[in-house]
Amino acid sequence: MAIFTSIATAIAGALFGGSALAASLIGGALAFGTKLAIGKLSQQKQQKRKYTAVQGEIQFGGDVPVGTLYGVGKTKGQRTFYAKWGSGNKWNAEVFVLANGWCDGLEPYVYIYGEKKALVSRPVIGNEVANYHIEGFVNGSGDPVLTIRFYDGRPGQLVDQKLVDVSAGLGNKWKSTSVNAGICYVVVERIYSDKLFGSKGRPELEFVLRGLREYDPRKDSTVAGGSGTQRLNTPSTWVHTKNPAVHRLNYQLGLRALVSGRTLIGEGKSLGQIDLATYFVAMNVCDTLRANGKRTYECSLFVSGDDDHTEVLKQFDDAMAGYGLNRRGLSGVIPGAPQIPVKDLTAADIPIDRAKDVQFRPSAFERFNHLSGQFTSIESMWNPESLKPVYVNADIAADGRNRQTSVDFLQVTDPDIAQYLLNIRYRQNRMGGKATVPVSRRFGLAVQEGEWITWRGKSWLISEWRADDRLRITLVLSETSAAIYDDDDIEPGPIVIPPTPPINPSLLSTVQNFNVAVGMINGAQGYDTPALVFTWTPPDDPTITAVRFVYQIEGTTELFEDQCTSPEDGLFRTTKNVVSGKVYNARATITTVPDRLRTFTNWMTTAQPTGLQTLLTGLQQLQDDALNRFKELQQEMDEFFRPRLVELLDAFSLEGAVGQIERQQIVATIGDALAQITEERRVRVSENEATAQLLTYLQASLGGTNARLITEETVRATADSALSSQITQLTAETGNNAAAIQTEATARANADGALSTQITSLDAEVGDNLARLIQEETARAEGDSANATSINGVSADFNGRFAQGLVKFEAVAAPTGVDARFSVLLRAGTSQSFKVSGFYVELYTEGGVQKSRMAVQADQFLVTSGNSRHYPLVFENGELKLAVANIGTVNAGLLQSLNGKMKIDLNNGTIEIFS
C-alpha cells in the first residue's frame, strides 16, 4: 500500500541516506507482516459492523454513505422518493436505490410479507432496463397491482418518464433531470387493494440483486497475460462475477464518480500500483472447480464509502482463505491454494554468525481444537446459519482440553464453500510453526514474499522479507502444507430447509400445533398434584382473546372444560377434574373479538397416564438446578484455564491526536548469543483522551536457551473514565522446557462504577507435560451493586493425563438481594474420558426471599461419626443407605420389602402379600 511506501521512504532517508533500494526493501517488509490464520481467529479489535451479503434495513433520506454490492446479495434499499396520486390516493410509487455503480440485474424473485415470490417479466414501458410484476399480486381482472421498474445504473441511463408524468401535478415531483446515472435503483408502483394489502399493511420488499459488473484483467488483451475484449476504462465490456479475487482487485481500483472521477468506494489505486501477477493466480484459483463441481471460492459483500479498507480487504481475503501482501510497494494477494516450493533452504544458505529464532510447535495458548462458524444461507431467506463445527479428537487429546473459538463467513452464501473455508482456517491454525531465519544474499534475492520454500523437510510460506542497511536479508517463515487445502475428507456444508411461509393470522380459525401432555403441579404440604399441560403456537393476532380446552378420560364420554385468557403464552396447566393414573384426550378452539368462524383442533392424546398424586415435588427441579450449577462450574474451569493476559492498549492511535514515541535499545550478539534491552515510552493526547505507556523488554538467549522479562505499564484518562494497568511476563526456555510467570493488575473507574483486577499465572512445561497455577481476584462496585470474587486454580498435564482443581469464593450485594457462593471443583482423567467431583455452598435470593443451599457431586457421599460401632450414612447410585433411622413421620407412596414379598400402596390404599 502507498502508506507503507511513504513510511519506508522516511525510514530509509533517516537511516540509510535516502537509499531507493532500502526504501523498497523496507516498504515490502512493513506492508506484508505475519498474516497467519491465528491472527484471523483471535483478533482483539472488534469490527465496527458485520460484513455480509445482506443489507437488512431500509435506509431513508440523503444522509446515507454511498454503497455498492460485489456479487449477489439481498437488500431493502434506500428510499429516496415517495408519491401518491389518483382518486383516494389509490396509486403509490416509491424509489429505492439498491447500489451505486452499473449492476447486472435482479434475481427472478423477491421477499414480501416474509414469503418468497417470483418476479414475472413484463414489457418495458419507458427507459427502464426491465419491468416486472410480483407473483400473486393481481386484481380480480388479472391485472398486476404491484410492479417494479428496474434501472441498472449504467452511464447515460434516462429518466423514468412515467414517474415524471404522474408526479407533475403533485407537491413532491420527480424531475426530468433525475436520471440517477451511475445509480442502480427501482421504481415500485402499486395500486391499493384491500384484499391484498388491507390486513397486512404497506408491503416491504427485499430485493435480491446481482451487483456490480466488474473488470477482469485476465479478459483484457491489452494487459500482459490477458486475452479478451474487456477494457479498464470501458465499463460496458465488464461482466458480473462472484470471484473474491476479482472483487478485491476492483475494490482496490475503486468505484469512481462518473463526472468528477472521484473515488466513491474503494482505494482508488491504478493498475501500476497492483501486483497483477498475484491477482491472476488468485482469480484462477477461485474459478477452479473442486471435486463437487463447484468453484473453489465465491463470495458477495455489501460495502460503503465509510468502511475501513483493511476490513473490507480482509473479507475478500477470508473468502479465499488467503492473505493480502505488499510486495516491493505493489498490492497483491495470496490465495488459499497449494504452491510448488521455489527453493530448498539448506544450512549453506544460513549465515552461522547471525541469530535465528525457530518455533516448530506453537504454544497451546495459540492453537484451537474446536472451530465453529456461520455463513449466509439463501435457503434460510439470507439469514445466518451455523456450519458444521470442525474438531479433531486427537488435537483435543494433545491439547489436554477443549479450546473453542469461532470464525464467520457471512460473505459466503454457498454452504459447501463456507465449510471448506472453515476447515482450511482450522488446519492453518493447527500448523503453526514459525521461524525467523537469516539467509545469504544469493538465496534472499531469489525469493520473495508469498512464495513457498522447503526447509528441514517441511514447506514454509515466506510471510516477511527483511533487509538491513548492509543488505543482510532475513526471512520470516510460517509453516504450511499442501494438505491444508486437500478437500477429500471435508464434509459438505449443512443442508438448510427453507422456512415455511407464515400463516395469515386473519385466517386462523383455531390454534396451531396444539398438543396435550401430563404434568405435575406443586400441591399442599410439598406434594405433587397431577395436571394436564396444553401447548400451542402463540398466535400473532390480537383479536384472539382466549384459548378454550375440552378434555376427557380416554374411554369415557364425560367432557370437562377450561380456558386460557392469555393466548400469547402458548402453554396452560390445569388440575381441574384431573385424576391420577389416567390417559386423557383433549382438543382446543379459540374465542375472538369480534366473533368469526371458529373450529376445533383434532383430538390429541397424552403419551402416558397422569402421575400419582403422592410424588414429592421439587426433587427433579433440585437435581436440574444442581447439575446446571456443576456444568457452570466446569465451564468456569474451562474459561479460567484459557490464556489470561491480553494487551490492554488496543487503540493507541487516536484520531486527531498528537503524541510522541521514544524508543531506546541496546543489543549485543556473538554467534548464537544475544542480549538486548529495549525500552519504549509512548504518550498520546487528543481532545477526548490521554494515554501514556511504558514498555520494557529484556532478553538473553544462547542457542536454544532463552530468557525474557517483559513489562507493560499503561495509564489512560478520558472525560468520564480512568484506567491504570501493569503487565509483567517472565519466561525461561531451554529446548522443550519452559517456565513462565505472568501477572496483570488493572484498576478502572468510570461514571458507572469501579473495577480492580489482579491475575497471577505460573506455568512450568517440559515437552507435553504442563503444570499451571492461576490466581484471580476481582472487586467491582457500581451504583446499584457490589461484587467481590477470588478464584484459585491448579492444573497438571502428563502424557495425555490431566488433573485440575478450582476454588472460587464470590460475594454479591444488590437491591435484589445479597448472595454468596463458595465452590470447589475437581476434574481428572485422560484424553478419552474424565471424572468430575465437587461441592458448592451458597446463599441466594429467590422471589425476594433469602435461601441457602449446599450441593455435592460425587459417586459416593458418606457421613460418619468416626465411631467404628456406627455405620455411616451413604448416598450411592441414586440410593440413600442407612443402617438405623429414627423417624417421627413418614410421607411415602409405596412401601416394599427387599425380597418383594410384601407391597403397601399408600396412594391407592392397598396391601399385597406374595407367596
Side-chain angles (χ1 to χ4, degrees), residues 15-16 19 21-22 25-26 351 353-354 439-441 445 465-474 669:
L15 300 180
F16 313 131
S19 166
L21 175 60
L25 299 179
I26 296 172
D353 60 337
R354 295 172 57 197
V439 297
S440 64
R441 289 192 186 94
L445 294 175
W465 190 98
R466 302 173 183 170
D468 61 13
D469 57 334
R470 295 163 58 186
L471 199 56
R472 295 187 302 178
I473 300 172
T474 302
T669 60

PDB file of all heavy atoms in Angstrom, residues 15-16 19 21-22 25-26 351 353-354 439-441 445 465-474 669:
ATOM      1  N   LEU A  15      17.786   6.768   8.055  1.00  0.00           N
ATOM      2  CA  LEU A  15      18.809   5.812   8.485  1.00  0.00           C
ATOM      3  C   LEU A  15      19.835   5.499   7.410  1.00  0.00           C
ATOM      4  O   LEU A  15      20.996   5.206   7.717  1.00  0.00           O
ATOM      5  CB  LEU A  15      18.139   4.514   8.946  1.00  0.00           C
ATOM      6  CG  LEU A  15      17.159   4.643  10.112  1.00  0.00           C
ATOM      7  CD1 LEU A  15      16.583   3.274  10.449  1.00  0.00           C
ATOM      8  CD2 LEU A  15      17.846   5.249  11.333  1.00  0.00           C
ATOM      9  N   PHE A  16      19.406   5.487   6.154  1.00  0.00           N
ATOM     10  CA  PHE A  16      20.281   4.974   5.096  1.00  0.00           C
ATOM     11  C   PHE A  16      20.551   5.993   3.999  1.00  0.00           C
ATOM     12  O   PHE A  16      20.768   5.637   2.847  1.00  0.00           O
ATOM     13  CB  PHE A  16      19.669   3.710   4.480  1.00  0.00           C
ATOM     14  CG  PHE A  16      19.183   2.733   5.500  1.00  0.00           C
ATOM     15  CD1 PHE A  16      17.907   2.191   5.405  1.00  0.00           C
ATOM     16  CD2 PHE A  16      19.990   2.365   6.573  1.00  0.00           C
ATOM     17  CE1 PHE A  16      17.455   1.301   6.356  1.00  0.00           C
ATOM     18  CE2 PHE A  16      19.535   1.463   7.515  1.00  0.00           C
ATOM     19  CZ  PHE A  16      18.272   0.933   7.411  1.00  0.00           C
ATOM     20  N   SER A  19      18.416   5.815   0.507  1.00  0.00           N
ATOM     21  CA  SER A  19      18.636   4.758  -0.487  1.00  0.00           C
ATOM     22  C   SER A  19      17.314   4.267  -1.054  1.00  0.00           C
ATOM     23  O   SER A  19      16.426   3.868  -0.314  1.00  0.00           O
ATOM     24  CB  SER A  19      19.391   3.594   0.170  1.00  0.00           C
ATOM     25  OG  SER A  19      19.330   2.458  -0.651  1.00  0.00           O
ATOM     26  N   LEU A  21      16.872   1.565  -2.865  1.00  0.00           N
ATOM     27  CA  LEU A  21      16.786   0.120  -2.642  1.00  0.00           C
ATOM     28  C   LEU A  21      16.320  -0.180  -1.223  1.00  0.00           C
ATOM     29  O   LEU A  21      15.442  -1.024  -1.001  1.00  0.00           O
ATOM     30  CB  LEU A  21      18.152  -0.532  -2.893  1.00  0.00           C
ATOM     31  CG  LEU A  21      18.226  -2.041  -2.578  1.00  0.00           C
ATOM     32  CD1 LEU A  21      17.226  -2.804  -3.440  1.00  0.00           C
ATOM     33  CD2 LEU A  21      19.648  -2.559  -2.784  1.00  0.00           C
ATOM     34  N   ALA A  22      16.909   0.541  -0.230  1.00  0.00           N
ATOM     35  CA  ALA A  22      16.487   0.322   1.164  1.00  0.00           C
ATOM     36  C   ALA A  22      15.024   0.671   1.343  1.00  0.00           C
ATOM     37  O   ALA A  22      14.278  -0.029   2.038  1.00  0.00           O
ATOM     38  CB  ALA A  22      17.358   1.160   2.106  1.00  0.00           C
ATOM     39  N   LEU A  25      12.950  -2.206  -0.086  1.00  0.00           N
ATOM     40  CA  LEU A  25      13.017  -3.417   0.736  1.00  0.00           C
ATOM     41  C   LEU A  25      12.236  -3.251   2.020  1.00  0.00           C
ATOM     42  O   LEU A  25      11.473  -4.124   2.431  1.00  0.00           O
ATOM     43  CB  LEU A  25      14.480  -3.760   1.042  1.00  0.00           C
ATOM     44  CG  LEU A  25      15.387  -4.057  -0.161  1.00  0.00           C
ATOM     45  CD1 LEU A  25      16.802  -4.356   0.315  1.00  0.00           C
ATOM     46  CD2 LEU A  25      14.830  -5.193  -0.991  1.00  0.00           C
ATOM     47  N   ILE A  26      12.417  -2.106   2.689  1.00  0.00           N
ATOM     48  CA  ILE A  26      11.715  -1.892   3.964  1.00  0.00           C
ATOM     49  C   ILE A  26      10.220  -1.767   3.730  1.00  0.00           C
ATOM     50  O   ILE A  26       9.400  -2.249   4.511  1.00  0.00           O
ATOM     51  CB  ILE A  26      12.275  -0.635   4.660  1.00  0.00           C
ATOM     52  CG1 ILE A  26      13.752  -0.866   5.017  1.00  0.00           C
ATOM     53  CG2 ILE A  26      11.475  -0.308   5.909  1.00  0.00           C
ATOM     54  CD1 ILE A  26      14.443   0.384   5.524  1.00  0.00           C
ATOM     55  N   PRO A 351      23.727 -17.935   7.268  1.00  0.00           N
ATOM     56  CA  PRO A 351      24.982 -17.482   7.890  1.00  0.00           C
ATOM     57  C   PRO A 351      25.045 -17.930   9.347  1.00  0.00           C
ATOM     58  O   PRO A 351      24.095 -17.749  10.104  1.00  0.00           O
ATOM     59  CB  PRO A 351      24.907 -15.955   7.773  1.00  0.00           C
ATOM     60  CG  PRO A 351      23.918 -15.701   6.676  1.00  0.00           C
ATOM     61  CD  PRO A 351      22.936 -16.814   6.749  1.00  0.00           C
ATOM     62  N   ASP A 353      26.909 -16.706  11.671  1.00  0.00           N
ATOM     63  CA  ASP A 353      27.223 -15.637  12.616  1.00  0.00           C
ATOM     64  C   ASP A 353      26.004 -14.788  12.954  1.00  0.00           C
ATOM     65  O   ASP A 353      26.130 -13.766  13.628  1.00  0.00           O
ATOM     66  CB  ASP A 353      28.328 -14.739  12.055  1.00  0.00           C
ATOM     67  CG  ASP A 353      27.925 -14.094  10.729  1.00  0.00           C
ATOM     68  OD1 ASP A 353      27.040 -14.657  10.043  1.00  0.00           O
ATOM     69  OD2 ASP A 353      28.497 -13.042  10.386  1.00  0.00           O
ATOM     70  N   ARG A 354      24.828 -15.175  12.486  1.00  0.00           N
ATOM     71  CA  ARG A 354      23.614 -14.388  12.763  1.00  0.00           C
ATOM     72  C   ARG A 354      22.584 -15.281  13.461  1.00  0.00           C
ATOM     73  O   ARG A 354      22.443 -16.469  13.141  1.00  0.00           O
ATOM     74  CB  ARG A 354      23.039 -13.811  11.465  1.00  0.00           C
ATOM     75  CG  ARG A 354      23.973 -12.786  10.801  1.00  0.00           C
ATOM     76  CD  ARG A 354      23.467 -12.385   9.432  1.00  0.00           C
ATOM     77  NE  ARG A 354      22.125 -11.843   9.508  1.00  0.00           N
ATOM     78  CZ  ARG A 354      21.314 -11.712   8.453  1.00  0.00           C
ATOM     79  NH1 ARG A 354      21.735 -12.119   7.254  1.00  0.00           N
ATOM     80  NH2 ARG A 354      20.113 -11.209   8.607  1.00  0.00           N
ATOM     81  N   VAL A 439      19.402 -15.371   5.887  1.00  0.00           N
ATOM     82  CA  VAL A 439      19.808 -16.120   4.696  1.00  0.00           C
ATOM     83  C   VAL A 439      20.857 -15.316   3.941  1.00  0.00           C
ATOM     84  O   VAL A 439      21.032 -14.103   4.132  1.00  0.00           O
ATOM     85  CB  VAL A 439      18.598 -16.413   3.776  1.00  0.00           C
ATOM     86  CG1 VAL A 439      17.586 -17.284   4.478  1.00  0.00           C
ATOM     87  CG2 VAL A 439      17.940 -15.120   3.301  1.00  0.00           C
ATOM     88  N   SER A 440      21.524 -16.001   3.055  1.00  0.00           N
ATOM     89  CA  SER A 440      22.534 -15.346   2.223  1.00  0.00           C
ATOM     90  C   SER A 440      21.864 -14.443   1.201  1.00  0.00           C
ATOM     91  O   SER A 440      20.679 -14.593   0.887  1.00  0.00           O
ATOM     92  CB  SER A 440      23.372 -16.403   1.513  1.00  0.00           C
ATOM     93  OG  SER A 440      22.550 -17.157   0.616  1.00  0.00           O
ATOM     94  N   ARG A 441      22.616 -13.506   0.671  1.00  0.00           N
ATOM     95  CA  ARG A 441      22.056 -12.622  -0.355  1.00  0.00           C
ATOM     96  C   ARG A 441      21.630 -13.427  -1.582  1.00  0.00           C
ATOM     97  O   ARG A 441      20.610 -13.145  -2.193  1.00  0.00           O
ATOM     98  CB  ARG A 441      23.087 -11.567  -0.772  1.00  0.00           C
ATOM     99  CG  ARG A 441      23.367 -10.515   0.282  1.00  0.00           C
ATOM    100  CD  ARG A 441      24.163  -9.363  -0.315  1.00  0.00           C
ATOM    101  NE  ARG A 441      24.564  -8.420   0.714  1.00  0.00           N
ATOM    102  CZ  ARG A 441      25.718  -8.451   1.344  1.00  0.00           C
ATOM    103  NH1 ARG A 441      26.592  -9.408   1.050  1.00  0.00           N
ATOM    104  NH2 ARG A 441      26.014  -7.543   2.254  1.00  0.00           N
ATOM    105  N   LEU A 445      17.741 -12.878  -2.455  1.00  0.00           N
ATOM    106  CA  LEU A 445      17.340 -12.136  -3.644  1.00  0.00           C
ATOM    107  C   LEU A 445      16.657 -13.020  -4.673  1.00  0.00           C
ATOM    108  O   LEU A 445      16.121 -12.516  -5.667  1.00  0.00           O
ATOM    109  CB  LEU A 445      18.560 -11.462  -4.266  1.00  0.00           C
ATOM    110  CG  LEU A 445      19.208 -10.357  -3.401  1.00  0.00           C
ATOM    111  CD1 LEU A 445      20.479  -9.840  -4.057  1.00  0.00           C
ATOM    112  CD2 LEU A 445      18.214  -9.215  -3.158  1.00  0.00           C
ATOM    113  N   TRP A 465       9.865 -10.465   4.372  1.00  0.00           N
ATOM    114  CA  TRP A 465      11.206 -10.377   3.766  1.00  0.00           C
ATOM    115  C   TRP A 465      11.848  -9.103   4.282  1.00  0.00           C
ATOM    116  O   TRP A 465      11.329  -8.012   4.073  1.00  0.00           O
ATOM    117  CB  TRP A 465      11.049 -10.362   2.254  1.00  0.00           C
ATOM    118  CG  TRP A 465      12.298 -10.503   1.430  1.00  0.00           C
ATOM    119  CD1 TRP A 465      12.774 -11.641   0.866  1.00  0.00           C
ATOM    120  CD2 TRP A 465      13.208  -9.463   1.055  1.00  0.00           C
ATOM    121  NE1 TRP A 465      13.920 -11.391   0.158  1.00  0.00           N
ATOM    122  CE2 TRP A 465      14.214 -10.052   0.261  1.00  0.00           C
ATOM    123  CE3 TRP A 465      13.286  -8.104   1.320  1.00  0.00           C
ATOM    124  CZ2 TRP A 465      15.262  -9.324  -0.280  1.00  0.00           C
ATOM    125  CZ3 TRP A 465      14.334  -7.369   0.804  1.00  0.00           C
ATOM    126  CH2 TRP A 465      15.312  -7.976  -0.001  1.00  0.00           C
ATOM    127  N   ARG A 466      12.958  -9.236   5.003  1.00  0.00           N
ATOM    128  CA  ARG A 466      13.584  -8.077   5.635  1.00  0.00           C
ATOM    129  C   ARG A 466      15.022  -7.901   5.114  1.00  0.00           C
ATOM    130  O   ARG A 466      15.690  -8.890   4.788  1.00  0.00           O
ATOM    131  CB  ARG A 466      13.650  -8.237   7.158  1.00  0.00           C
ATOM    132  CG  ARG A 466      12.323  -8.446   7.851  1.00  0.00           C
ATOM    133  CD  ARG A 466      12.570  -8.773   9.319  1.00  0.00           C
ATOM    134  NE  ARG A 466      11.332  -9.048  10.039  1.00  0.00           N
ATOM    135  CZ  ARG A 466      11.305  -9.551  11.276  1.00  0.00           C
ATOM    136  NH1 ARG A 466      12.440  -9.854  11.894  1.00  0.00           N
ATOM    137  NH2 ARG A 466      10.152  -9.761  11.878  1.00  0.00           N
ATOM    138  N   ALA A 467      15.438  -6.649   5.106  1.00  0.00           N
ATOM    139  CA  ALA A 467      16.831  -6.354   4.757  1.00  0.00           C
ATOM    140  C   ALA A 467      17.277  -5.137   5.558  1.00  0.00           C
ATOM    141  O   ALA A 467      16.523  -4.171   5.703  1.00  0.00           O
ATOM    142  CB  ALA A 467      16.985  -6.098   3.266  1.00  0.00           C
ATOM    143  N   ASP A 468      18.513  -5.202   6.093  1.00  0.00           N
ATOM    144  CA  ASP A 468      19.012  -4.060   6.853  1.00  0.00           C
ATOM    145  C   ASP A 468      19.870  -3.180   5.948  1.00  0.00           C
ATOM    146  O   ASP A 468      19.944  -3.390   4.722  1.00  0.00           O
ATOM    147  CB  ASP A 468      19.775  -4.535   8.090  1.00  0.00           C
ATOM    148  CG  ASP A 468      20.996  -5.393   7.733  1.00  0.00           C
ATOM    149  OD1 ASP A 468      21.378  -5.417   6.545  1.00  0.00           O
ATOM    150  OD2 ASP A 468      21.542  -6.047   8.639  1.00  0.00           O
ATOM    151  N   ASP A 469      20.538  -2.201   6.568  1.00  0.00           N
ATOM    152  CA  ASP A 469      21.308  -1.243   5.772  1.00  0.00           C
ATOM    153  C   ASP A 469      22.520  -1.870   5.098  1.00  0.00           C
ATOM    154  O   ASP A 469      23.069  -1.324   4.146  1.00  0.00           O
ATOM    155  CB  ASP A 469      21.743  -0.071   6.650  1.00  0.00           C
ATOM    156  CG  ASP A 469      22.552  -0.529   7.855  1.00  0.00           C
ATOM    157  OD1 ASP A 469      22.359  -1.687   8.268  1.00  0.00           O
ATOM    158  OD2 ASP A 469      23.340   0.275   8.390  1.00  0.00           O
ATOM    159  N   ARG A 470      22.925  -3.044   5.576  1.00  0.00           N
ATOM    160  CA  ARG A 470      24.053  -3.743   4.953  1.00  0.00           C
ATOM    161  C   ARG A 470      23.571  -4.825   3.987  1.00  0.00           C
ATOM    162  O   ARG A 470      24.345  -5.675   3.572  1.00  0.00           O
ATOM    163  CB  ARG A 470      24.924  -4.359   6.037  1.00  0.00           C
ATOM    164  CG  ARG A 470      25.595  -3.293   6.918  1.00  0.00           C
ATOM    165  CD  ARG A 470      26.106  -3.884   8.235  1.00  0.00           C
ATOM    166  NE  ARG A 470      27.049  -4.969   8.006  1.00  0.00           N
ATOM    167  CZ  ARG A 470      27.545  -5.715   8.999  1.00  0.00           C
ATOM    168  NH1 ARG A 470      27.186  -5.479  10.248  1.00  0.00           N
ATOM    169  NH2 ARG A 470      28.386  -6.696   8.732  1.00  0.00           N
ATOM    170  N   LEU A 471      22.287  -4.768   3.647  1.00  0.00           N
ATOM    171  CA  LEU A 471      21.648  -5.722   2.748  1.00  0.00           C
ATOM    172  C   LEU A 471      21.810  -7.163   3.258  1.00  0.00           C
ATOM    173  O   LEU A 471      22.047  -8.098   2.512  1.00  0.00           O
ATOM    174  CB  LEU A 471      22.184  -5.593   1.318  1.00  0.00           C
ATOM    175  CG  LEU A 471      21.274  -6.214   0.224  1.00  0.00           C
ATOM    176  CD1 LEU A 471      19.888  -5.628   0.267  1.00  0.00           C
ATOM    177  CD2 LEU A 471      21.897  -6.027  -1.146  1.00  0.00           C
ATOM    178  N   ARG A 472      21.731  -7.311   4.570  1.00  0.00           N
ATOM    179  CA  ARG A 472      21.673  -8.640   5.157  1.00  0.00           C
ATOM    180  C   ARG A 472      20.206  -9.032   5.224  1.00  0.00           C
ATOM    181  O   ARG A 472      19.395  -8.334   5.853  1.00  0.00           O
ATOM    182  CB  ARG A 472      22.313  -8.648   6.545  1.00  0.00           C
ATOM    183  CG  ARG A 472      23.807  -8.347   6.512  1.00  0.00           C
ATOM    184  CD  ARG A 472      24.438  -8.525   7.886  1.00  0.00           C
ATOM    185  NE  ARG A 472      23.789  -7.675   8.872  1.00  0.00           N
ATOM    186  CZ  ARG A 472      24.120  -7.662  10.175  1.00  0.00           C
ATOM    187  NH1 ARG A 472      25.082  -8.464  10.621  1.00  0.00           N
ATOM    188  NH2 ARG A 472      23.503  -6.854  11.005  1.00  0.00           N
ATOM    189  N   ILE A 473      19.863 -10.114   4.616  1.00  0.00           N
ATOM    190  CA  ILE A 473      18.456 -10.484   4.400  1.00  0.00           C
ATOM    191  C   ILE A 473      18.018 -11.503   5.440  1.00  0.00           C
ATOM    192  O   ILE A 473      18.748 -12.454   5.748  1.00  0.00           O
ATOM    193  CB  ILE A 473      18.252 -11.030   2.971  1.00  0.00           C
ATOM    194  CG1 ILE A 473      18.652  -9.968   1.943  1.00  0.00           C
ATOM    195  CG2 ILE A 473      16.806 -11.470   2.764  1.00  0.00           C
ATOM    196  CD1 ILE A 473      18.658 -10.472   0.520  1.00  0.00           C
ATOM    197  N   THR A 474      16.826 -11.290   5.964  1.00  0.00           N
ATOM    198  CA  THR A 474      16.218 -12.203   6.932  1.00  0.00           C
ATOM    199  C   THR A 474      14.817 -12.554   6.451  1.00  0.00           C
ATOM    200  O   THR A 474      14.064 -11.678   6.005  1.00  0.00           O
ATOM    201  CB  THR A 474      16.123 -11.556   8.324  1.00  0.00           C
ATOM    202  OG1 THR A 474      17.441 -11.186   8.740  1.00  0.00           O
ATOM    203  CG2 THR A 474      15.521 -12.525   9.340  1.00  0.00           C
ATOM    204  N   THR A 669      25.483  -9.190  20.446  1.00  0.00           N
ATOM    205  CA  THR A 669      25.396 -10.544  19.893  1.00  0.00           C
ATOM    206  C   THR A 669      26.793 -11.062  19.578  1.00  0.00           C
ATOM    207  O   THR A 669      27.671 -10.309  19.123  1.00  0.00           O
ATOM    208  CB  THR A 669      24.557 -10.571  18.609  1.00  0.00           C
ATOM    209  OG1 THR A 669      25.164  -9.716  17.627  1.00  0.00           O
ATOM    210  CG2 THR A 669      23.149 -10.095  18.864  1.00  0.00           C
TER     211      THR A 669
END
